[in-house]
Amino acid sequence: DFAGGTAVHINAGAAGLALAIVLGKRIGWRKDPMRPHSLPLVMLGSGLLWFGWFGFNAGSSLGANGIAGLAFMNTQVATAGAVLGWLLVEKIRNGHATSLGAASGAVAGLVAITPACAFVAPWAAVVIGLISGILCSLAVGIKYKFGFDDSLDVVGVHGISGIIGMLGIGLLATATVNATGMEGLLISGSSELLTHQIIAIVAVAAFSFTATWIIATLIQRTIGFRS
């Protein structure tokens, strides 16, 4: 996990799910549209995130070196792939693509490549991004099926993309681009790294969900979250 797929994004997705369950639904959820206040601000914010993420990922190399360059390149191409994936789902499902979908796809791609950016080749980064865009676009509907109000789709975007990125390492990591790392299942035929990644995903998600649910429940039953 090069730049925080578990510590940041899977952690956030699991914690967000626990809080959504404890807090319950907003008034008017599933009845009122609850659309973004300003799409121009959404696009501006996603652009700033995309720009800043280069420092987040490439900077995790702690030096101006080849790994930083690889992480920079992978961050760009994976995010572009995720935007394409999300927009393809929208086009097929709804008949048209949206700017909100492009912004959401960009965030999904940025999250997915975060753990894998220093361990996979650029072509693999595109694959990880494309898959994250497609699956996250489909996953945001989960909240309606299971009835939890995740207002910013932390579970469907950050949680799912974080898992995709971590699994992507276990499948596509290659020593060709980073000799310090292990190789993934589809590169070396060994499932050892993939097993490590799955254990990390389950451990972080279980700990984060359980701890957050306990803390949130204690707060809810004492001082409460809402007046």
Side-chain angles (χ1 to χ4, degrees):
D1 182 359
F2 187 70
T6 49
V8 179
H9 301 290
I10 295 176
N11 179 22
L17 177 59
L19 280 170
I21 292 172
V22 174
L23 281 172
K25 307 171 186 63
R26 291 167 292 172
I27 295 173
W29 187 68
R30 300 197 72 171
K31 296 179 182 178
D32 299 334
M34 296 185 178
R35 295 188 177 93
H37 168 69
S38 170
L39 276 177
L41 289 180
V42 170
M43 299 305 292
L44 175 62
S46 62
L48 290 171
L49 271 176
W50 195 332
F51 176 77
W53 221 281
F54 291 120
F56 186 69
N57 282 355
S60 293
S61 67
L62 304 180
N65 49 41
I67 298 300
L70 176 68
F72 192 104
M73 173 64 73
N74 284 344
T75 300
Q76 173 67 14
V77 298
T79 306
V83 171
L84 175 61
W86 193 295
L87 295 183
L88 284 174
V89 171
E90 284 192 332
K91 179 65 176 178
I92 295 171
R93 182 180 57 198
N94 305 326
H96 63 278
T98 67
S99 56
L100 178 61
S104 300
V107 175
L110 291 167
V111 171
I113 200 57
T114 292
C117 59
F119 304 116
V120 300
W123 69 264
V126 175
V127 172
I128 291 172
L130 185 64
I131 292 173
S132 69
I134 292 171
L135 294 186
C136 288
S137 184
L138 297 172
V140 293
I142 291 176
K143 62 185 179 184
Y144 298 109
K145 295 182 179 179
F146 289 94
F148 62 89
D149 182 7
D150 180 9
S151 60
L152 294 179
D153 293 316
V154 176
V155 180
V157 176
H158 289 268
I160 298 300
S161 284
I163 291 172
I164 292 170
M166 288 291 286
L167 293 176
I169 299 172
L171 293 170
L172 297 169
T174 173
T176 302
V177 297
N178 189 340
T180 64
M182 300 172 64
E183 294 201 322
L185 175 62
L186 299 181
I187 305 299
S188 67
S190 171
S191 62
E192 181 180 1
L193 179 57
L194 181 60
T195 301
H196 293 328
Q197 300 303 106
I198 293 172
I199 291 172
I201 291 168
V202 173
V204 170
F207 175 82
S208 180
F209 179 89
T210 303
T212 304
W213 184 85
I214 292 172
I215 294 169
T217 300
L218 289 174
I219 294 174
Q220 183 78 323
R221 294 184 179 181
T222 52
I223 61 175
F225 282 106
R226 293 170 174 159
S227 59

